[in-house]
């Protein structure tokens, strides 16, 4: 675990809910920065995978992949007195690519900026024997100065994180990439 037992966070607002986790905006009180905290639901096998994936993700260092700061146990913001597993990540100010594209036309330079960032993130993962596994427009966050790939599923070729062969996972990433790039191109052509 990275930084286990060292992060003290103050929860501010819930940003989203998922099948196995909720994401909160929080303040890391130790070093005075805002972070995203993914609260993993207890008693959930997928939750154990999420923690394993976060530990693997913490080893990746790329400007277009969300950075994991720590994997911790924290006080549950919705159930005081209960401790839950959490992934402390960088907070990306922006919106999902899906939301950006639903707003209509985007410029060609913006489409290129986002597309190149996503390709770079996938290339970095593949070079390390990893794959995303669930790439689509909702798993790309776009900020004014950043593009980040989030919610990686298949991070390690060995161990319990993946049962599919790497080549199969990479093919799935290429299909996801094709859909993301198609959405970007379509948004440049319409509007």
């Amino acid at each position: 675990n990275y930084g286990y037992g060292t992060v003290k966070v103050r929860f501010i607002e819930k940003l989203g809910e998922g099948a196995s986790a909720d994401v909160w905006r929080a303040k890391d009180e130790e070093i005075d920065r805002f972070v995203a905290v993914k609260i993993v639901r207890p008693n959930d096998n997928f939750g154990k995978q999420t923690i394993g994936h976060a530990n693997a993700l913490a080893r990746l260092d790329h400007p277009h992949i969300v950075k994991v700061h720590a994997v911790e146990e924290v006080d549950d913001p919705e159930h005081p007195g209960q401790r839950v597993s959490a992934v402390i990540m960088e907070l990306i100010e922006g919106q999902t690519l899906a939301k950006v594209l639903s707003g209509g036309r985007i410029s060609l330079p913006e489409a290129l900026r986002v597309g190149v960032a996503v390709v770079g993130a996938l290339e970095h993962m593949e070079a390390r024997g990893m794959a995303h596994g669930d790439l689509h427009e909702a798993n790309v966050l776009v900020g004014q100065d950043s593009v980040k790939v989030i919610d990686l599923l298949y991070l390690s070729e060995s161990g319990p994180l993946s049962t599919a062969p790497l080549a199969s996972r990479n093919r799935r990433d290429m299909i996801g990439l094709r859909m993301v790039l198609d959405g970007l191109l379509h948004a440049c052509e319409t509007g």
Side-chain angles (χ1 to χ4, degrees), residues 73-144:
E73 277 199 3
V74 299
D75 290 325
D76 188 330
E78 295 183 322
H79 302 96
Q82 291 184 16
R83 302 284 286 172
V84 290
S85 296
V87 181
I88 316 298
M89 303 173 288
E90 72 177 307
L91 179 66
I92 295 109
E93 298 291 348
Q95 43 189 324
T96 67
L97 180 57
K99 187 165 186 168
V100 170
L101 295 178
S102 72
R105 186 172 170 79
I106 63 170
S107 69
L108 180 59
E110 179 66 0
L112 289 171
R113 177 180 82 98
V114 173
V116 167
V118 173
V119 168
L122 288 178
E123 179 182 47
H124 184 77
M125 286 181 265
E126 183 178 358
R128 282 145 189 82
M130 300 177 179
H132 186 287
D134 192 29
L135 183 65
H136 53 82
E137 294 161 350
N139 282 340
V140 177
L141 288 178
V142 179
Q144 184 173 350

Side-chain angles (χ1 to χ4, degrees), residues 17 20-21 30 34 61 66 112 122 136 160 162 177 184:
E17 297 180 28
S20 66
E30 290 293 311
F34 290 98
D61 185 18
V66 66
L112 289 171
L122 288 178
H136 53 82
S162 172
L177 177 61
L184 288 166

Side-chain angles (χ1 to χ4, degrees), residues 56 59 128-130 155-164 166 169:
R59 294 188 295 271
R128 282 145 189 82
M130 300 177 179
L155 289 172
S156 174
E157 188 167 14
S158 59
L161 300 181
S162 172
T163 57
L166 182 59
R169 293 181 282 135

